[in-house]
Amino acid sequence: MPELRFDPIRRRWSIIATERKFRPHEFAQPQPETSSPEGCPFEYGQEAATPPEILAYGRQNHQPNTPGWQVRVVPNKFPALRIEGELTREGVGIFDRVNGIGAHEVIIETPNHHAEVADRSPEELQLMFKAWRERLTDLRRDIRIRYVLLFKNKGRDAGASLPHPHSQLIATPIIPTVVVEELNVARNHWAHKERCIFCDLIHQEKAFGDRVALETEHFILLEPFAASFPFETWILPKQHSHDFALASDALLLELGKVLRDFLRRIRQLLADPPYNLILHTAPSPHPRPGQPQYWTTIEYDYHWHIEFVPRITRIAGFEWGSGYAINPTPPEEAARFLREATSDGEQP
Amino acid sequence: MPELRFDPIRRRWSIIATERKFRPHEFAQPQPETSSPEGCPFEYGQEAATPPEILAYGRQNHQPNTPGWQVRVVPNKFPALRIEGELTREGVGIFDRVNGIGAHEVIIETPNHHAEVADRSPEELQLMFKAWRERLTDLRRDIRIRYVLLFKNKGRDAGASLPHPHSQLIATPIIPTVVVEELNVARNHWAHKERCIFCDLIHQEKAFGDRVALETEHFILLEPFAASFPFETWILPKQHSHDFALASDALLLELGKVLRDFLRRIRQLLADPPYNLILHTAPSPHPRPGQPQYWTTIEYDYHWHIEFVPRITRIAGFEWGSGYAINPTPPEEAARFLREATSDGEQP
């Protein structure tokens, strides 16, 4: 059973794979990145190479774990956390640990090995987001789970171990540190001003204008003022909403359209960079024992969004040791380049 | 002039190179890592290829910027922060910014292009640490500087752009987030218990024993309970001391010995992995305006240490979006492997 461990000095959690017998040579020879569909466990006909599916869309014959699907969700074969067991929290001297209850799933976004997000239709991307929404809603029913983090690693330098287009989710028994920080900031802002800090951000950035990368009817794409990476971008729904699970089918279609447009511009500017996409949305609605009022204003104070993080600069010693990023590209420049790029791969 | 920018939602600082004109194609073609000393600006005879030196040890002829040195410190040619100018802090709507006053220096550790830390003598490593100590002491005299972070990036995946052995320092007008967190934890622990939390950690881990990787007369090397990376290691002086600048020559020699021994074991186990070394020590002694009492207990509550971070796993979407690490190697296993390895490259 893996463990979540807390370090009281750095105030950081780690998920430690305690049961694994370490073999040093595994780290010494990194696997080469292969782009061939041969041997890929996410192809049609390879359904037995993954654990049995949790969800599939688009299959006509209703026979699970067979070809014909358009999106398929399976448990991760090497899960960081496991769904079986009872949650236990305990102290170990000055440390804390929680056993590794949770979930780790893979969303196979398309049967097509080479269909990057920028290559797919808005309808195909809508289907991927529908799978995100459905898994989020389903896992929230589990009282042990406090948060479901949906994310995508594209390319080796962004942490992808398989090239076939896929996203993942990790559901944790503790709300992750980065999310807690955002939730606290949003709640405090509401407590003082009765306004959503993200709505304030959108309002301000529309007025400034120079960090707006793209805008559609219902979405705005901003380059954050203190971006950690060149071309880091936040995708926000313009209308206030705390929860991605409440997004309508129409909104998810528009999200597919704008993400496709954006990633085509990125491909044009940065030549298909490795990247991460991360969804930040409201936590599971289960109150903590003794804190039934903890998230009472969340509907008003929080605002879901997707972070796009291109991995074209490194997190080196300074960044790790300080918590500061060094970003060589002003977000105002990145926004201008994105506005001027076109989504069909041609300069305007 | 670069800028430090603060994001009120994520509560993160970034250093933004605002003056730089971005050219997207720069990111598209990463430079290959070359191991040849040809064209290396850190070789004997290439002294004019760096900005004029700040410090050099070991040269007999006392002629600056000529060969013959053993350790040489120069300003970074592409600095993240600059030493010239007056510090200004201002708000920009809901954001904050501070102009990029600070320092960014390179410590060329040896004239020998191929002499990794594990290959050098303890005396050579002592000289490197003496240069760290001298630059730290000197930069602290600048009232604008609140912190000096000393670090080393080894290998491309750890962020090194040049292979010639070197470390760096970045001096900032704000104490970095990760350090502030540690300082606060240490101060609060002292306030409650009148004990140093690091001394408590050493005491506890010596009793548990299973996370102790190495121990010498004055140093202990621990695998942190919630290690973020496989084989992450903290090097701590066993005797309480808040400030690396106060370390004696004898202690720096022993540090050189134990670091060399440790890195030889790491090389044996992990086949010369990319890594970061990061020094965490007390901040500059200048009180903040209005907070003259801020660091009054620091002499008692803080404890300097060096973090060793091997970069053999990736910071992917989950890690970035959650703040959690996923570590596939239990620190207890890593400590056992390190204890059983030998420093001459042979299995015992």
Side-chain angles (χ1 to χ4, degrees):
Chain A
M1 171 70 76
E3 277 181 14
L4 285 107
R5 293 184 175 190
F6 184 70
D7 181 316
I9 294 180
R10 288 193 308 190
R11 304 192 61 73
R12 275 187 207 152
W13 287 94
S14 292
I15 299 174
I16 308 270
T18 46
E19 85 278 29
R20 185 166 162 205
K21 289 288 158 253
F22 167 77
R23 291 168 297 278
H25 65 86
E26 286 177 29
F27 292 116
Q29 284 119 21
Q31 299 297 308
E33 186 169 26
T34 167
S35 61
S36 157
E38 216 155 310
C40 171
F42 298 164
E43 298 294 306
Y44 277 174
Q46 299 303 312
E47 285 78 8
T50 67
E53 73 193 30
I54 296 164
L55 178 72
Y57 290 153
R59 198 188 277 121
Q60 300 303 317
N61 66 6
H62 305 294
Q63 195 72 32
N65 304 306
T66 62
W69 47 272
Q70 287 181 272
V71 172
R72 184 169 182 256
V73 182
V74 299
N76 193 307
K77 204 167 178 176
F78 308 99
L81 298 171
R82 292 170 191 282
I83 201 78
E84 303 84 11
E86 201 177 324
L87 193 63
T88 58
R89 304 171 192 271
E90 64 173 356
V92 183
I94 62 172
F95 307 127
D96 304 280
R97 85 171 142 212
V98 174
N99 64 344
I101 297 288
H104 191 169
E105 301 179 2
V106 177
I107 298 100
I108 309 169
E109 300 167 5
T110 164
N112 185 340
H113 193 82
H114 300 289
E116 298 304 339
V117 171
D119 300 318
R120 302 208 289 274
S121 70
E123 290 74 18
E124 287 174 291
L125 297 172
Q126 182 196 34
L127 211 59
M128 167 183 88
F129 287 127
K130 281 183 176 176
W132 286 24
R133 188 180 60 186
E134 183 167 344
R135 293 308 304 142
L136 181 60
T137 307
D138 185 48
L139 281 163
R140 279 189 183 160
R141 296 195 187 107
D142 189 326
I143 189 84
R144 301 166 305 167
I145 286 172
R146 291 280 155 79
Y147 200 78
V148 180
L149 193 84
L150 278 144
F151 61 98
K152 177 178 169 71
N153 302 333
K154 152 86 171 77
R156 237 189 105 73
D157 281 345
S161 51
L162 291 170
H164 192 118
H166 67 286
S167 21
Q168 298 179 66
L169 70 79
I170 296 185
T172 50
I174 299 164
I175 305 176
T177 322
V178 167
V179 179
V180 167
E181 187 92 26
E182 265 189 23
L183 290 168
N184 285 340
V185 162
R187 193 179 42 174
N188 291 339
H189 192 83
W190 174 267
H192 287 99
K193 313 193 183 192
E194 295 197 27
R195 296 195 315 257
C196 163
I197 193 170
F198 293 92
C199 289
D200 276 8
L201 174 75
I202 293 167
H203 184 73
Q204 173 185 293
E205 293 301 80
K206 282 185 76 159
F208 278 130
D210 56 346
R211 284 178 292 272
V212 178
L214 275 178
E215 195 176 346
T216 64
E217 193 185 346
H218 295 102
F219 288 98
I220 190 163
L221 278 67
L222 299 175
E223 305 297 295
F225 175 77
S228 298
F229 299 93
F231 291 84
E232 177 182 354
T233 304
W234 292 2
I235 304 172
L236 296 127
K238 291 199 282 191
Q239 205 176 337
H240 179 79
S241 169
H242 71 301
D243 191 358
F244 178 82
L246 302 175
S248 69
D249 288 359
L251 199 70
L252 295 187
L253 182 64
E254 191 178 324
L255 181 59
K257 270 185 199 151
V258 72
L259 182 65
R260 168 192 154 103
D261 179 356
F262 170 71
L263 285 174
R264 287 180 167 208
R265 288 168 197 250
I266 284 289
R267 186 154 71 179
Q268 180 199 326
L269 290 168
L270 300 175
D272 206 22
Y275 67 80
N276 303 116
L277 286 175
I278 299 146
L279 172 66
H280 277 177
T281 186
S284 293
H286 316 303
R288 299 190 203 180
Q291 295 188 303
Q293 305 298 314
Y294 198 62
W295 302 119
T296 43
T297 63
I298 192 152
E299 214 176 300
Y300 312 104
D301 69 43
Y302 196 62
H303 196 123
W304 73 263
H305 56 278
I306 291 175
E307 295 184 15
F308 166 80
V309 183
R311 302 300 293 274
I312 50 182
T313 52
R314 307 248 175 208
I315 297 167
F318 177 74
E319 291 81 351
W320 185 256
S322 70
Y324 286 9
I326 299 182
N327 179 355
T329 306
E332 297 77 14
E333 286 281 304
R336 188 172 60 77
F337 272 100
L338 282 163
R339 285 193 304 268
E340 289 172 3
T342 61
S343 60
D344 55 19
E346 299 293 313
Q347 287 281 3
Chain B
M1 170 70 77
E3 276 181 15
L4 284 108
R5 293 184 175 190
F6 184 69
D7 181 317
I9 294 179
R10 287 191 307 188
R11 303 191 63 73
R12 273 186 207 155
W13 287 94
S14 291
I15 298 174
I16 309 270
T18 46
E19 86 279 27
R20 184 163 164 207
K21 289 290 157 249
F22 168 77
R23 291 168 297 278
H25 63 86
E26 287 177 28
F27 292 116
Q29 284 118 21
Q31 298 298 308
E33 187 169 26
T34 167
S35 62
S36 157
E38 216 156 311
C40 171
F42 298 163
E43 297 295 304
Y44 277 174
Q46 298 302 312
E47 286 78 8
T50 67
E53 73 193 29
I54 296 165
L55 177 73
Y57 290 152
R59 200 189 275 121
Q60 299 302 319
N61 67 5
H62 304 295
Q63 194 73 29
N65 305 305
T66 62
W69 47 273
Q70 287 181 273
V71 172
R72 185 169 180 255
V73 182
V74 298
N76 193 307
K77 204 168 179 176
F78 308 100
L81 298 171
R82 292 169 191 283
I83 200 79
E84 303 84 9
E86 200 177 326
L87 193 64
T88 59
R89 303 170 192 271
E90 63 174 355
V92 183
I94 61 173
F95 306 128
D96 303 280
R97 86 171 140 211
V98 174
N99 64 342
I101 298 287
H104 190 169
E105 302 179 1
V106 177
I107 297 100
I108 310 169
E109 300 167 4
T110 164
N112 186 340
H113 193 81
H114 299 291
E116 297 304 340
V117 171
D119 300 318
R120 301 209 290 275
S121 70
E123 289 74 18
E124 288 174 291
L125 297 172
Q126 182 195 34
L127 211 59
M128 169 183 87
F129 287 127
K130 282 183 177 177
W132 286 25
R133 189 180 60 185
E134 181 167 346
R135 293 309 304 142
L136 181 60
T137 307
D138 184 47
L139 282 163
R140 278 187 183 162
R141 295 194 188 107
D142 189 326
I143 189 84
R144 300 166 307 168
I145 286 170
R146 292 280 156 78
Y147 199 78
V148 180
L149 192 84
L150 278 145
F151 61 99
K152 177 179 170 70
N153 301 334
K154 152 88 170 76
R156 238 187 104 74
D157 281 346
S161 52
L162 291 170
H164 192 118
H166 68 284
S167 21
Q168 298 180 66
L169 70 80
I170 295 184
T172 52
I174 299 163
I175 305 175
T177 322
V178 166
V179 179
V180 167
E181 187 91 28
E182 264 189 25
L183 290 168
N184 285 339
V185 162
R187 192 179 42 175
N188 291 338
H189 193 83
W190 173 267
H192 287 99
K193 313 192 182 191
E194 296 198 26
R195 296 195 315 258
C196 163
I197 192 168
F198 293 91
C199 289
D200 276 9
L201 174 75
I202 293 167
H203 184 74
Q204 173 186 293
E205 292 302 78
K206 282 186 75 159
F208 278 130
D210 56 347
R211 285 177 292 272
V212 178
L214 275 177
E215 196 177 347
T216 64
E217 192 184 347
H218 295 102
F219 287 97
I220 190 163
L221 277 67
L222 298 176
E223 305 298 294
F225 175 76
S228 298
F229 299 93
F231 290 85
E232 177 183 352
T233 303
W234 293 0
I235 303 172
L236 297 128
K238 291 198 281 190
Q239 201 174 340
H240 179 79
S241 168
H242 70 301
D243 192 357
F244 178 81
L246 300 176
S248 69
D249 288 359
L251 199 70
L252 296 187
L253 182 64
E254 189 177 325
L255 181 58
K257 269 186 199 151
V258 72
L259 182 64
R260 169 192 154 103
D261 179 358
F262 171 71
L263 285 174
R264 287 180 169 208
R265 288 167 196 252
I266 284 289
R267 186 155 70 181
Q268 180 198 329
L269 289 167
L270 299 175
D272 204 21
Y275 66 81
N276 303 118
L277 286 175
I278 299 147
L279 172 66
H280 277 177
T281 184
S284 294
H286 316 303
R288 298 191 202 180
Q291 294 189 303
Q293 305 298 315
Y294 198 60
W295 303 120
T296 42
T297 62
I298 192 152
E299 214 177 300
Y300 312 104
D301 69 44
Y302 196 62
H303 195 124
W304 74 262
H305 55 280
I306 292 175
E307 296 185 16
F308 167 80
V309 183
R311 302 300 294 275
I312 50 182
T313 53
R314 308 248 174 207
I315 297 166
F318 176 75
E319 291 81 349
W320 185 256
S322 69
Y324 286 8
I326 300 181
N327 179 354
T329 307
E332 297 77 14
E333 285 282 303
R336 188 172 59 75
F337 271 100
L338 282 163
R339 285 193 304 269
E340 289 173 3
T342 59
S343 59
D344 55 19
E346 299 294 312
Q347 287 280 6

